Amino acid sequence: MVHKLSNDDVIYSFSRKNAPVLRVNSGDTVSIDTCDCFTDQIQSADQEVAAIDWNRINPATGPVYVEGASAGDLLKVTIDELEIGDQGVMVTGPDLGVMGHRLEEMESKIIPIRNGKAIFNEKLHLPLNPMIGVIGVAPEGEPVSCGTPGAHGGNMDTKHITQGATLYFPVFTEGALFALGDFHAAMGDGEVSVSGIEVPGRATVTLEVVKGFHSKFPVLINNEGVSLLVSAMTLDEAVKVATEEMIDLLLPFTDLSVSEMTMLMSAAGEAQISQVVDPLVTARFFVPQHILEALEIKLFS
Amino acid sequence: MVHKLSNDDVIYSFSRKNAPVLRVNSGDTVSIDTCDCFTDQIQSADQEVAAIDWNRINPATGPVYVEGASAGDLLKVTIDELEIGDQGVMVTGPDLGVMGHRLEEMESKIIPIRNGKAIFNEKLHLPLNPMIGVIGVAPEGEPVSCGTPGAHGGNMDTKHITQGATLYFPVFTEGALFALGDFHAAMGDGEVSVSGIEVPGRATVTLEVVKGFHSKFPVLINNEGVSLLVSAMTLDEAVKVATEEMIDLLLPFTDLSVSEMTMLMSAAGEAQISQVVDPLVTARFFVPQHILEALEIKLFS
């Protein structure tokens, strides 16, 4: 049986105090409808973007209470399917993104999704990489706005959070309180304008409680390898923490010294940028699958 | 005719005051032999790495005076061929790289290069991505150590600087004074231990003066697309400058507004990390070839 959640049930911050809108067992699958990051408020090119309600930004559908999840566990989230709507929107403007100092007014752009492409204009038909911007669980302490990423996940804006990927989140509270939203039809690393191609959509995810393993930060596994995602005030800090945490994650599986593992990560691992435009920025450290296989590492199982 | 340079002629800093060891015409090809970044001082596993001469680090072979190159021009460098030696070395240690705070002594590791793989140990045979760590021209002002990157190039430690790539450097002085060295048999983005798999080698490059175009920073073009490389005190700063410079580089070829170009870069461009361990860190902003083609952009020609 697949549970269903409509996009009527949204949160604007991740919080242990949010009341669950659905309770599921570990191993259950949920089909979750989402609004775009503007709660679908921008529907046409002539709409005044400055006039939208900025209190309704980055809604995440949920939260879902997963039976048996307790603080210290991991929540395994498999993204079985990711569907997106047929119209996207981008925005940028003063004080937003990397170019905010050069822009004088808020602008939005409607981008139709057609034949597997994002139609930026007549010339530019961009390839899609549908992804989930906001995904996570209730954080340890105070509520965190869905616009901000952290150890609980949230607005990580990471292009690898897509169909086929599996995420592991640290659980901070009973039931984990999982939610997601903010899909992008396409986005490049950095998300430099402050938005991807924002779209509503539907994600089908399977939620499982994993006992006996821990991670301080979200971990993403796909066919390419494993990424550890860290959000911080600066990219420099996020990269350093992500690198060290990845080394500490893999080290117990090997007979390598810290020095040797650091050299291996230098030769074959990758420090990568997810986004540089949210209240905290997000970086990831990636290790390719062939390294995991050579070291016979199977994470969290 | 292919000019030849041996690795006897090395510099340890890029400087307008360096005497050229070779003069070539624009369009000439030069075959350049290089030492590894330790000037080939570490040859065996039992060698005390702390005992090497640290004044002989990151040698670059050259400089080459290119006739007709003047301040304000670009130097186009096509990497026709890149060959590497059959033994590499990695190092890490206290206060070096991302993990320096966890390490108590300098360590080195000899890594044989065999059958197209880097033999890290019995289990780990790593794929090669031979690349040039140090490459550039004399800077505008004071000499810059070959260990430090900048607008003149230098120690950019960027894995895409490899066979088949073309680089464009801003020229700051008569003859440009081009040099290169510090090859890696493999390195991942970040270079987190402070070294790649350091190897000696030979690069065959074609050097051309390009008049009438300008770039403040090195630009790399390959089959995948175009990257603009910026080095700065922080990754955050390097990414911001690289993004803005890329937008300003492409904008004149299009009828897009600054807002629209920023959105396009957000949807389809990529902020990427080259290295986080040198005295300045290096980031790049990348735009894929299909975007350049859709916009009918041909850079620097």
Side-chain angles (χ1 to χ4, degrees):
Chain A
M1 170 200 160
V2 177
H3 304 272
K4 288 188 192 303
L5 265 188
S6 85
N7 61 15
D8 292 336
D9 291 311
V10 299
I11 55 175
Y12 293 98
S13 61
F14 286 87
S15 166
R16 53 202 303 148
K17 292 177 186 157
N18 286 333
V21 294
L22 176 70
R23 298 176 87 97
V24 303
N25 291 318
S26 177
D28 281 3
T29 297
V30 192
S31 164
I32 303 176
D33 287 356
T34 63
C35 305
D36 75 19
C37 74
F38 305 108
T39 321
D40 301 340
Q41 293 180 87
I42 307 173
Q43 291 299 325
S44 66
D46 56 4
Q47 201 167 350
E48 193 64 54
V49 59
I52 68 172
D53 180 356
W54 290 92
N55 291 317
R56 293 166 58 211
I57 297 296
N58 282 317
T61 305
V64 179
Y65 186 105
V66 185
E67 299 287 352
S70 298
D73 297 339
L74 291 175
L75 183 67
K76 177 181 179 183
V77 180
T78 306
I79 304 173
D80 302 314
E81 192 174 7
L82 188 58
E83 301 162 85
I84 57 170
D86 57 8
Q87 177 171 294
V89 60
M90 299 194 81
V91 303
T92 195
D95 303 324
L96 294 176
V98 173
M99 294 292 283
H101 61 292
R102 295 268 295 270
L103 304 175
E104 286 177 8
E105 54 187 349
M106 282 295 296
E107 287 187 38
S108 66
K109 182 175 177 67
I110 299 291
I111 299 179
I113 312 297
R114 214 161 52 213
N115 303 325
K117 298 277 185 179
I119 313 300
F120 193 86
N121 64 25
E122 276 174 29
K123 278 185 181 175
L124 287 158
H125 296 198
L126 309 178
L128 302 182
N129 61 316
M131 52 157 279
I132 298 174
V134 172
I135 184 167
V137 297
E140 186 165 22
E142 292 300 300
V144 177
S145 156
C146 288
T148 300
H152 70 292
N155 195 18
M156 297 186 291
D157 283 326
T158 296
K159 70 182 182 189
H160 300 314
I161 303 179
T162 187
Q163 185 171 307
T166 299
L167 286 140
Y168 293 84
F169 294 97
V171 175
F172 298 104
T173 191
E174 293 298 308
L177 300 182
F178 173 79
L180 60 73
D182 184 27
F183 296 179
H184 302 159
M187 189 198 93
D189 281 336
E191 201 191 20
V192 296
S193 85
V194 90
S195 90
I197 300 178
E198 308 291 336
V199 282
R202 175 177 294 166
T204 305
V205 298
T206 298
L207 304 174
E208 292 168 79
V209 180
V210 179
K211 303 265 179 199
F213 295 94
H214 188 62
S215 172
K216 279 197 267 181
F217 297 93
V219 172
L220 185 151
I221 297 179
N222 61 17
N223 289 337
E224 310 297 315
V226 58
S227 300
L228 195 145
L229 291 85
V230 173
S231 302
M233 286 298 292
T234 69
L235 266 182
D236 301 80
E237 178 70 8
V239 165
K240 279 181 186 140
V241 174
T243 306
E244 184 166 2
E245 289 290 328
M246 179 63 87
I247 286 170
D248 284 335
L249 179 67
L250 303 185
L251 206 53
F253 292 91
T254 74
D255 52 8
L256 299 175
S257 68
V258 176
S259 280
E260 284 175 312
M261 182 59 91
T262 305
M263 291 178 192
L264 178 61
M265 294 299 103
S266 200
E270 311 270 0
Q272 298 174 337
I273 293 167
S274 287
Q275 57 79 23
V276 298
V277 294
D278 294 331
L280 299 178
V281 300
T282 304
R284 52 186 193 264
F285 196 85
F286 168 77
V287 177
Q289 184 62 22
H290 69 85
I291 298 287
L292 301 179
E293 282 170 14
L295 292 170
E296 298 173 47
I297 294 177
K298 292 212 102 182
L299 290 168
F300 311 134
S301 64
Chain B
M1 171 200 160
V2 177
H3 304 271
K4 288 187 194 301
L5 266 187
S6 86
N7 60 15
D8 293 336
D9 292 310
V10 299
I11 55 174
Y12 293 98
S13 60
F14 286 87
S15 167
R16 52 200 305 146
K17 291 176 186 157
N18 285 334
V21 294
L22 176 70
R23 299 177 86 96
V24 304
N25 290 318
S26 177
D28 280 3
T29 297
V30 192
S31 165
I32 303 176
D33 286 356
T34 64
C35 305
D36 76 17
C37 75
F38 305 107
T39 320
D40 301 340
Q41 293 180 86
I42 308 174
Q43 291 300 326
S44 67
D46 55 3
Q47 200 168 352
E48 194 63 55
V49 58
I52 68 173
D53 180 356
W54 290 93
N55 291 318
R56 294 166 57 211
I57 297 296
N58 281 316
T61 305
V64 180
Y65 186 105
V66 186
E67 299 287 352
S70 298
D73 296 339
L74 291 174
L75 183 67
K76 177 181 179 183
V77 180
T78 306
I79 304 173
D80 303 313
E81 192 174 9
L82 188 58
E83 301 161 85
I84 56 170
D86 57 9
Q87 177 171 293
V89 60
M90 297 193 81
V91 303
T92 194
D95 303 325
L96 294 175
V98 173
M99 294 292 283
H101 60 293
R102 296 267 295 273
L103 305 175
E104 286 175 9
E105 54 186 349
M106 281 295 297
E107 286 187 40
S108 66
K109 182 175 176 66
I110 299 290
I111 300 179
I113 312 298
R114 214 161 53 214
N115 303 324
K117 297 276 186 180
I119 313 300
F120 193 86
N121 63 25
E122 276 174 29
K123 279 184 181 174
L124 288 158
H125 295 196
L126 309 178
L128 303 182
N129 62 317
M131 52 157 282
I132 298 174
V134 172
I135 185 167
V137 297
E140 187 165 21
E142 292 300 299
V144 176
S145 155
C146 288
T148 301
H152 70 292
N155 196 16
M156 297 187 290
D157 283 327
T158 296
K159 69 182 182 188
H160 299 316
I161 303 178
T162 187
Q163 184 171 307
T166 299
L167 286 141
Y168 293 83
F169 294 96
V171 175
F172 297 105
T173 192
E174 292 298 309
L177 301 182
F178 174 80
L180 60 74
D182 183 28
F183 296 179
H184 303 158
M187 189 197 93
D189 282 335
E191 200 192 21
V192 296
S193 84
V194 90
S195 90
I197 300 178
E198 308 291 336
V199 281
R202 174 177 294 166
T204 305
V205 298
T206 298
L207 304 175
E208 292 168 79
V209 180
V210 179
K211 302 266 181 197
F213 296 94
H214 188 61
S215 171
K216 279 198 266 182
F217 297 94
V219 172
L220 184 151
I221 297 178
N222 61 17
N223 289 336
E224 310 298 314
V226 57
S227 300
L228 195 144
L229 291 83
V230 174
S231 302
M233 286 299 292
T234 68
L235 265 183
D236 301 80
E237 176 70 9
V239 166
K240 280 182 187 140
V241 175
T243 306
E244 183 167 0
E245 289 291 329
M246 179 65 88
I247 286 171
D248 285 334
L249 180 66
L250 302 186
L251 206 52
F253 291 91
T254 75
D255 52 9
L256 299 175
S257 67
V258 175
S259 280
E260 284 176 312
M261 181 59 91
T262 304
M263 291 178 192
L264 178 61
M265 294 298 102
S266 199
E270 311 270 0
Q272 299 173 336
I273 293 167
S274 288
Q275 58 79 23
V276 298
V277 294
D278 294 331
L280 299 177
V281 300
T282 305
R284 52 187 194 263
F285 196 85
F286 168 76
V287 177
Q289 184 62 24
H290 69 84
I291 299 287
L292 302 179
E293 280 169 15
L295 292 170
E296 298 172 47
I297 293 176
K298 293 212 105 182
L299 289 168
F300 310 135
S301 63

